[in-house]
Amino acid sequence: MNIRDSFKKYGKQFLKSTSAYSKHKSNSKREQLVSKTKIPKQETSVLTMPIVEAPKQNPESTYSFLKTEPKRCDKTNYEREFVTRFKQLTYRHRSLEVWSDFVTMFACAISNSLDKQNFDEREKLYLKIIKKYSKDEQTIFPELAAMVVMSLEQNPEQDFLGYIYMNLGLGNKNTAQFFTPYHICQLIAEITMSDIVNEVKAKGYISISDPCCGGGALLIAGINKAKDELEKENLNFQNHVLIVAQDIDFTVAMMCYIQISLLGAAGYVKVGNSLTDPITDGDSLENYWFTPMYYSKTWSMRRMLNKLNNKETKT
């Protein structure tokens, strides 16, 4: 299941914006991109993870920037077009504020397509942010969102948001925030993920964890490495790879969440200090952001089996 398949299934409101943005693609190409992929029946191994339920879609819930039809851009250079449009929002607002608002609203739009437990609070957060901008400014946000989608679709092997974030000079110098270059992340993935096929066959899945995820570059490299290795064995990485991420910085955690969601990976990102408040069983889920693929049948079944096993162990 590629990026468009994921959002065709899990985020119809979001696709209204991104599909309009990519009308320059041929009809045959778009039909291929939105075709549904059946999830094959796989192993029934279980794992420990937060228990959540997927909500029913709420047709009454809409976001103004998702309803706006963005303009087309040069499909060969999304970074340049993204920065150009982004800077048009910085005449009246600070760059870091605009960036934080954009990734927060984008993350809320993805999360609220499925996460009913956090829906109300995140919708309030979205509406609070969008009201700061004029109508003309609001129309820019769907364009930025669509450029992220199209860029990752064109080249999944990149940390699109992290690269632009650092190039705009938005990194937190007070905390020595500096993202690992993506080619280094690729090297790390090559070295550390050489035997994942055997591990998947033995356990049913692998977890890729980063307790200081930043924009998600290491996780993106890991996802792509896992995808390449598992496809050689005719295995769908979406059914066998779980992403577990955490970062103390809300903005960069949302960047990571957006990108792993768009890549179609199952997993979650927790916002918090991984030293003093690490991911544990029984956590409050208000700081967790679950990707759309986390709600797929395969991972929902694992959570259900895990819950049943836990009850049996207690009894």
Side-chain angles (χ1 to χ4, degrees):
M1 183 181 292
N2 59 25
I3 295 168
R4 286 184 180 277
D5 292 332
S6 178
F7 275 82
K8 181 68 175 178
K9 185 174 182 181
Y10 296 112
K12 292 182 179 179
Q13 292 177 331
F14 180 78
L15 271 183
K16 288 180 181 179
S17 176
T18 56
S19 295
Y21 190 79
S22 56
K23 282 182 178 178
H24 60 277
K25 289 183 175 290
S26 65
N27 290 331
S28 60
K29 177 65 175 178
R30 276 185 280 150
E31 289 174 0
Q32 294 175 6
L33 291 171
V34 300
S35 62
K36 294 186 176 180
T37 303
K38 294 183 179 179
I39 299 177
K41 295 182 179 179
Q42 299 290 349
E43 75 304 317
T44 58
S45 62
V46 298
L47 49 99
T48 301
M49 61 181 77
I51 306 300
V52 296
E53 296 179 356
K56 296 180 180 179
Q57 292 292 335
N58 182 3
E60 301 297 325
S61 176
T62 58
Y63 295 105
S64 58
F65 90 102
L66 297 183
K67 293 164 62 179
T68 306
E69 181 172 327
K71 300 177 182 178
R72 301 176 187 178
C73 77
D74 178 4
K75 63 180 180 180
T76 63
N77 196 332
Y78 293 110
E79 292 172 4
R80 182 185 65 196
E81 296 292 340
F82 183 100
V83 172
T84 299
R85 295 297 282 155
F86 175 83
K87 287 185 175 180
Q88 293 176 13
L89 292 167
T90 62
Y91 299 132
R92 296 196 313 116
H93 310 273
R94 292 181 298 112
S95 295
L96 184 58
E97 179 186 11
V98 173
W99 183 273
S100 179
D101 288 345
F102 165 64
V103 297
T104 299
M105 289 191 292
F106 198 175
C108 286
I110 295 173
S111 173
N112 277 8
S113 65
L114 286 165
D115 188 350
K116 69 177 182 181
Q117 183 166 340
N118 294 303
F119 181 93
D120 291 337
E121 288 302 317
R122 289 173 185 175
E123 184 167 8
K124 289 178 184 178
L125 176 60
Y126 175 92
L127 294 174
K128 179 182 178 181
I129 293 173
I130 198 65
K131 289 178 181 178
K132 296 192 300 184
Y133 297 90
S134 67
K135 289 185 178 180
D136 288 340
E137 289 172 332
Q138 290 176 15
T139 62
I140 296 177
F141 287 107
E143 296 182 36
L144 298 178
M147 288 177 207
V148 178
V149 174
M150 298 298 289
S151 180
L152 288 175
E153 183 178 88
Q154 178 178 285
N155 176 26
E157 282 275 11
Q158 62 170 323
D159 177 14
F160 181 79
L161 291 176
Y163 178 80
I164 294 177
Y165 179 79
M166 295 305 298
N167 279 355
L168 288 173
L170 301 178
N172 190 334
K173 297 180 180 179
N174 294 328
T175 58
Q177 189 178 61
F178 180 79
F179 294 164
T180 307
Y182 189 72
H183 67 280
I184 301 298
C185 298
Q186 288 178 303
L187 176 61
I188 294 173
E190 288 288 338
I191 294 172
T192 60
M193 300 180 64
S194 59
D195 196 38
I196 63 171
V197 172
N198 291 331
E199 188 172 352
V200 165
K201 289 182 177 179
K203 300 179 180 179
Y205 69 94
I206 62 169
S207 296
I208 305 177
S209 178
D210 189 346
C212 187
C213 62
L218 276 170
L219 297 171
I220 294 170
I223 290 170
N224 282 289
K225 174 63 176 178
K227 180 181 178 182
D228 292 342
E229 294 298 318
L230 292 174
E231 282 183 347
K232 295 176 184 178
E233 301 295 325
N234 295 319
L235 295 173
N236 183 352
F237 84 97
Q238 293 172 312
N239 297 332
H240 302 282
V241 177
L242 179 72
I243 302 300
V244 180
Q246 184 168 357
D247 203 285
I248 194 172
D249 187 317
F250 179 85
T251 297
V252 301
M254 293 304 96
M255 291 160 54
C256 176
Y257 171 72
I258 289 167
Q259 294 191 119
I260 64 173
S261 293
L262 294 178
L263 291 173
Y268 46 88
V269 179
K270 179 181 178 180
V271 181
N273 191 322
S274 58
L275 296 177
T276 60
D277 184 26
I279 295 173
T280 58
D281 292 338
D283 264 355
S284 170
L285 300 182
E286 63 183 7
N287 292 322
Y288 280 79
W289 295 72
F290 300 96
T291 69
M293 191 53 60
Y294 186 76
Y295 295 94
S296 68
K297 292 181 180 179
T298 298
W299 293 101
S300 295
M301 180 63 70
R302 287 197 177 114
R303 292 195 296 276
M304 183 181 71
L305 291 173
N306 180 64
K307 190 175 182 179
L308 292 173
N309 285 346
N310 288 340
K311 287 183 177 179
E312 291 177 359
T313 302
K314 291 180 180 179
T315 57

